[in-house]
Amino acid sequence: MGWKGIGLKRPPGWEGFRARVGELQELLEELGVGYLFLKTVKAYPHADSNVDVLLPDPAEFRRAKEALIQRGFRPVFTWEFDKAMLLPPPPPTEAGSKPAVHLYSRISWYAVPYLDAGAVLRRGERVGWEGLKIPVPCPRDDFYIGALHAFFEEEALTLGDFWHLSHRRGERAGGEHEGDLSPAARWAVRAVEAALEALSVSLPPEDRAVDPQREREVVYRFPERVLLRGFARRAAEALRRRLLNDLGAVVYAYGLIHPAKRLKLIRG
């Protein structure tokens, strides 16, 4: 990715984030599981409070979770039942602390799947990143994952989303992976692309220049009517295909979690 050599400062927590990725890679390679790091390698120096890892095989997901627990990680409750959030072993330290681990069994948000995780794993590629060579989604899948996360979970675009997705959009080759990206997901991706187009014109120059310290600033919120159309399309898709599990997840996500987030009853 293209941020090196242009004078960007690494954000707070970078060293711990990079160290956690390295430790996880060592563990997952030792376990011999199929995995990808999600939302880790970006078009600018990025650090987060957790490292996201996709493990589509259910048995391998459980093995990885158990291995982390044996190393002192503590699973905590989340609203997403097909994922696992594991906090690092105590005692926590302020200096040099490392992030939590977020395991994904599917590419989903609030238990609603949007993209074929097995196909994303098969298309993954290894890239050089901070002295490591780590497996990540191909550029096209990485764009889709970022776009779907912004639309269906965050319901907004941040400056970091704008920088990274604009970069990834330019790297994409060919058309969509038909059959992997559902009709509702394709519709949401187009809504994100339209927002990126609008931002590319409307953002002032200081917002277009990458500054990792500002990556979480929200610069675009999807209108309620646009969000509701995306939710309705995903619900109709589950109903039409008679996917009862998906339909239950849709009701849970769109009927409970999203309203609760807007009312600030729960954190996202």
Side-chain angles (χ1 to χ4, degrees):
M1 305 288 289
W3 60 267
K4 285 191 175 182
I6 58 176
L8 293 181
K9 293 183 179 179
R10 290 167 174 164
W14 168 262
E15 291 80 7
F17 186 78
R18 191 269 179 207
R20 178 69 77 220
V21 171
E23 291 170 359
L24 276 172
Q25 180 177 32
E26 184 176 341
L27 171 62
L28 295 169
E29 294 290 338
E30 180 183 318
L31 292 174
V33 298
Y35 72 98
L36 297 176
F37 287 104
L38 304 179
K39 297 181 288 178
T40 297
V41 180
K42 296 198 173 184
Y44 57 90
H46 161 79
D48 205 344
S49 60
N50 56 82
V51 178
D52 296 319
V53 183
L54 175 68
L55 296 126
D57 183 276
E60 294 181 351
F61 177 92
R62 290 191 295 271
R63 282 177 59 207
K65 179 180 177 181
E66 183 58 35
L68 286 165
I69 291 172
Q70 289 176 0
R71 284 162 174 76
F73 283 78
R74 295 168 290 126
V76 296
F77 172 81
T78 74
W79 297 101
E80 301 177 277
F81 308 131
D82 51 356
K83 300 178 185 176
M85 178 69 79
L86 298 109
L87 300 183
T93 58
E94 292 297 327
S97 60
K98 298 173 188 175
V101 179
H102 199 189
L103 303 181
Y104 286 56
S105 64
R106 301 187 297 175
I107 298 176
S108 65
W109 288 279
Y110 301 117
V112 181
Y114 297 100
L115 191 60
D116 185 327
V120 170
L121 177 66
R122 290 191 295 273
R123 289 190 293 262
E125 55 188 41
R126 289 191 177 254
V127 300
W129 179 78
E130 285 301 301
L132 303 172
K133 201 167 184 64
I134 63 174
V136 298
C138 71
R140 194 182 318 170
D141 286 333
D142 190 48
F143 175 82
Y144 291 148
I145 291 166
L148 293 168
H149 173 263
F151 188 93
F152 285 108
E153 179 167 339
E154 299 299 324
E155 303 178 10
L157 291 172
T158 62
L159 278 174
D161 292 328
F162 173 73
W163 301 326
H164 181 67
L165 293 177
S166 296
H167 179 83
R168 277 306 200 196
R169 196 175 173 208
E171 289 184 329
R172 285 191 326 184
E176 294 168 345
H177 298 296
E178 298 293 341
D180 295 333
L181 204 61
S182 73
R186 285 198 295 273
W187 189 90
V189 166
R190 287 196 291 269
V192 171
E193 289 179 319
L196 291 173
E197 289 285 355
L199 288 171
S200 68
V201 175
S202 64
L203 281 182
E206 59 268 25
D207 288 346
R208 299 183 199 182
V210 175
D211 177 0
Q213 306 291 333
R214 302 182 61 208
E215 70 168 320
R216 290 179 174 83
E217 291 182 23
V218 174
V219 291
Y220 183 92
R221 293 194 182 277
F222 293 101
E224 190 73 12
R225 59 179 176 78
V226 174
L227 290 171
L228 290 176
R229 285 183 68 185
F231 297 166
R233 283 171 180 261
R234 185 63 184 88
E237 190 176 282
L239 188 61
R240 184 176 60 254
R241 297 175 61 191
R242 299 183 181 180
L243 300 172
L244 297 184
N245 287 341
D246 279 12
L247 189 58
V250 163
V251 172
Y252 170 75
Y254 307 152
L256 175 63
I257 300 300
H258 286 274
K261 282 173 58 181
R262 292 194 188 98
L263 293 171
K264 301 188 184 303
L265 299 175
I266 63 173
R267 297 181 64 180

